[in-house]
Amino acid sequence: MPEYEAVIGLEVHVQLKTASKMFTDAPTGFGRPPNSITNAVVMGMPGTLPVLNKGAIEQAIRVGLIFGSKIPEVFKWDRKNYFYPDSPKNYQLTQMDAPVCVGGQVEIELAGPSRNLMGEHKIIHLDHAHLEEDVGKLTHFSKDSLVDYNRAGTPLLEIVTKPDLHSAEEAVALLQSIRMHLVAAGVSDCDMEKGQMRCDANVSVRPIGQSTLNPRAEMKNLNSITGVKHAINYEIGRQSRVYDKGGTVTQETRRWDADLGRTSSMRSKEEAHDYRYFPDPDLLPVHFPRDRIDELKEGLPEGVFVRQRRYEAQYGLPYTVTSVICYDHELTIFFETGMVEYGKNPKTLANYIANELQRERSQAEGDGNLPMADVLLSPEALARMVQLIDAGKLTKYLARDVFVDMFNTGKEAQTIMDEKGIKVEEPDAGELEQWCRDAVAGNPVAAQQFREGNDKAINSYMGPVMKASRGKANPQTVREMLIRIIGET
Ligand code: ADP
Ligand code: MG
């Protein structure tokens, strides 16, 4: 039996964040009463005309700029004609052959050997991204169905990759990378549970070494990360077994059934001519001003992985910390706002965000992490707490409880310290000296290493001495005293 290689291309649909719909001023929104945010244009009433939403186009262009796509001089709108009850107009406005973004590439990260280690990075090429309008939502019952047109007409960007992916893990990493970048840029919330991000997965397998592509199955409307992963893995297995038995795979559209954990044939692949595409007569081709594109580019945040590499190089932050902060745009903003307040100790600030803040959020009441919007602790207050530590007015030991109080109340570290009488009490110098001497006597090897030029060796005494002082000693004083004692002996 030959060994197979999977070949996968994704069509990722993301709802763009805009106040109103793609071609009319009806508002966008999730969770509203059914059919409450529609109007005559959304409902395709005779005599209505579409009006282009400039904000949606700018959001789409931002996506292209984030991923290095070319924004063509002109793009246009086509009607894709089909009847289905979720689309009241009988056609969908889309871009068939002149999309808003052409080409581009997305950097992805595959999981590392452990959570603490950086994974492999790859580049996945994009074919294009085109704008279209979302359709309504059908809910089927045993005898009848309900339709809600609230979602109909919402701007939807379809990002189409080249068949560059070779495993379910890579497909998931692509979705995660797209989500991180788009959320950071404020282009989309990409919440799969709210249907703001969905994807069609095209999967084929071929014997390793073959360069031509085999026929593919397209699985429509996968709406969760686990769905994407399981559907792709199932399909790779199914097609491999077909080939093993000497059969052929035909190009078709398949449905993923999450309950049964398998795909089943829906229909043979439709062809473009089935949709009788033609340019929409009511919408002119768009010549988007080049200087506005430059402005949009200026306004974009730094790329997620670019920023991560910069934090590692510029601040010496470890992967364990950057992979928490940089992969969550709200934490990035928290960190950078804190840095503006007090930028002298990025490592300590970042550590409190990636560890203590995340721990308290995960332990807060309610399900899931406490949303950042509900966090009482401000980045400025945290930065000032770090400043107190650096000034020797607070120790990391004492800061453990102070931090939790700050998180729970939103108060300043200094206020909490005043209220609770927390202060760094310099232990009696004689007592401190005794602890230092005990520590050095207990580990003569480290002292020797320090004398031989290994400055870090002194750190092995810091813990025991700080512990003996119950966190009250000033680390700087302890360090100086240790250096003196080691020099004497
Ligand atoms: P269509 O015209 O049917 O939409 P496209 O050529 O635009 O097909 O491709 C749609 C998606 O399918 C793209 O993401 C592409 O990378 C992927 N794709 C195309 N051919 C294959 C194949 N043989 N195996 C896996 N994915 C494929
Ligand atoms: Mg296509």
Side-chain angles (χ1 to χ4, degrees):
M1 297 288 170
E3 289 265 357
Y4 297 109
E5 169 189 54
V7 179
I8 303 159
L10 296 186
E11 298 163 85
V12 185
H13 299 80
V14 290
Q15 278 185 0
L16 301 177
K17 222 172 165 173
T18 54
S20 55
K21 294 193 175 176
M22 186 71 235
F23 298 106
T24 177
D25 62 359
T28 55
F30 179 83
R32 309 278 199 96
N35 298 303
S36 63
I37 46 176
T38 68
N39 63 15
V41 179
V42 172
M43 297 311 294
M45 298 294 179
T48 57
L49 288 172
V51 177
L52 206 49
N53 180 344
K54 180 162 151 240
I57 293 178
E58 294 196 343
Q59 291 289 45
I61 290 175
R62 279 195 183 94
V63 175
L65 295 172
I66 290 168
F67 297 130
S69 313
K70 187 173 168 291
I71 312 299
E73 292 290 336
V74 190
F75 42 89
K76 70 174 186 54
W77 307 98
D78 301 286
R79 288 190 184 184
K80 180 179 182 180
N81 297 282
Y82 65 97
F83 173 71
Y84 199 66
D86 63 4
S87 175
K89 283 206 304 280
N90 264 352
Y91 62 85
Q92 182 186 31
L93 283 168
T94 182
Q95 302 187 302
M96 189 198 51
D97 54 6
V100 53
C101 308
V102 175
Q105 51 185 51
V106 180
E107 181 174 355
I108 65 168
E109 181 187 30
L110 297 163
S114 80
R115 218 179 56 81
N116 301 342
L117 293 175
M118 190 174 95
E120 189 192 345
H121 282 237
K122 285 193 175 176
I123 295 295
I124 305 303
H125 294 91
L126 298 180
D127 186 81
H128 73 276
H130 64 263
L131 254 173
E132 55 190 32
E133 44 179 355
D134 208 345
V135 294
K137 209 171 153 53
L138 293 169
T139 312
H140 301 289
F141 299 96
S142 57
K143 290 214 182 84
D144 41 24
S145 298
L146 295 177
V147 61
D148 176 7
Y149 290 122
N150 278 354
R151 199 176 71 179
T154 301
L156 197 65
L157 188 72
E158 179 170 334
I159 304 169
V160 181
T161 77
K162 298 278 188 193
D164 269 2
L165 301 153
H166 297 290
S167 67
E169 288 68 32
E170 291 188 1
V172 168
L174 177 88
L175 292 174
Q176 281 164 342
S177 179
I178 289 180
R179 175 163 60 194
M180 289 194 297
H181 284 90
L182 300 198
V183 169
V187 165
S188 171
D189 290 333
C190 294
D191 186 338
M192 289 186 98
E193 284 186 12
K194 293 184 181 162
Q196 292 164 342
M197 185 178 198
R198 321 189 287 270
C199 97
D200 303 340
N202 297 269
V203 177
S204 64
V205 303
R206 63 182 175 192
I208 289 180
Q210 177 185 317
S211 57
T212 52
L213 294 173
N214 275 349
R216 68 184 193 262
E218 175 171 7
M219 288 167 289
K220 290 262 182 210
N221 254 315
L222 301 169
N223 54 14
S224 72
I225 292 283
T226 39
V228 170
K229 200 158 103 186
H230 292 159
I232 290 175
N233 281 332
Y234 177 86
E235 198 51 29
I236 293 171
R238 185 189 70 83
Q239 293 179 21
S240 304
R241 285 190 299 276
V242 170
Y243 287 125
D244 278 346
K245 286 189 200 137
T248 49
V249 170
T250 46
Q251 185 170 331
E252 62 180 351
T253 302
R254 295 179 72 86
R255 176 187 293 113
W256 166 245
D257 186 325
D259 295 330
L260 295 177
R262 46 171 303 204
T263 62
S264 56
S265 184
M266 266 169 86
R267 54 174 184 261
S268 63
K269 169 82 189 171
E270 63 279 1
E271 302 286 337
H273 63 245
D274 293 333
Y275 291 116
R276 304 173 331 281
Y277 282 101
F278 62 88
D280 189 275
D282 295 331
L283 288 162
L284 290 172
V286 181
H287 298 255
F288 201 82
R290 302 321 279 183
D291 49 354
R292 179 63 186 148
I293 295 178
D294 295 339
E295 266 174 43
L296 292 175
K297 192 165 188 171
E298 298 266 299
L300 286 176
E302 200 174 8
V304 172
F305 297 122
V306 176
R307 187 190 303 266
Q308 179 178 30
R309 286 188 277 267
R310 177 170 68 81
Y311 280 7
E312 291 177 6
Q314 187 177 346
Y315 304 134
L317 302 182
Y319 177 80
T320 39
V321 168
T322 59
S323 60
V324 174
I325 295 182
C326 298
Y327 298 178
D328 180 335
H329 193 62
E330 290 180 308
L331 294 182
T332 306
I333 293 184
F334 199 94
F335 173 71
E336 303 227 329
T337 311
M339 285 291 287
V340 172
E341 177 66 24
Y342 177 68
K344 294 219 177 88
N345 193 343
K347 273 192 182 174
T348 302
L349 180 66
N351 262 319
Y352 273 101
I353 296 171
N355 299 311
E356 279 79 359
L357 175 61
Q358 288 299 80
R359 181 196 64 219
E360 293 305 317
R361 285 177 70 202
S362 72
Q363 289 174 1
E365 273 176 44
D367 36 58
N369 274 353
L370 184 73
M372 282 305 284
D374 298 337
V375 168
L376 297 173
L377 172 72
S378 75
E380 291 86 355
L382 180 61
R384 285 190 285 268
M385 187 196 91
V386 173
Q387 193 172 13
L388 287 172
I389 293 174
D390 284 354
K393 294 185 179 147
L394 181 63
T395 61
K396 284 188 181 164
Y397 183 90
L398 295 171
R400 287 185 201 173
D401 290 341
V402 172
F403 179 86
V404 175
D405 275 1
M406 290 172 75
F407 179 85
N408 289 329
T409 64
K411 286 183 188 171
E412 287 288 322
Q414 189 63 62
T415 311
I416 292 165
M417 290 161 64
D418 292 345
E419 282 172 4
K420 299 203 163 167
I422 297 168
K423 58 174 188 283
V424 179
E425 284 169 60
E426 291 284 329
D428 173 85
E431 213 177 8
L432 186 60
E433 174 144 0
Q434 192 54 50
W435 291 328
C436 289
R437 286 188 187 283
D438 289 350
V440 173
N443 180 1
V445 177
Q448 188 53 36
Q449 287 169 341
F450 182 77
R451 282 190 214 99
E452 285 163 8
N454 178 0
D455 288 349
K456 283 188 178 159
I458 204 161
N459 292 338
S460 47
Y461 300 125
M462 294 300 293
V465 176
M466 291 306 291
K467 196 170 166 202
S469 78
R470 304 207 349 264
K472 290 188 173 165
N474 179 340
Q476 198 46 39
T477 316
V478 174
R479 188 173 291 273
E480 282 159 16
M481 193 173 274
L482 282 166
I483 293 173
R484 179 167 61 76
I485 291 168
I486 293 171
E488 283 169 2
T489 48

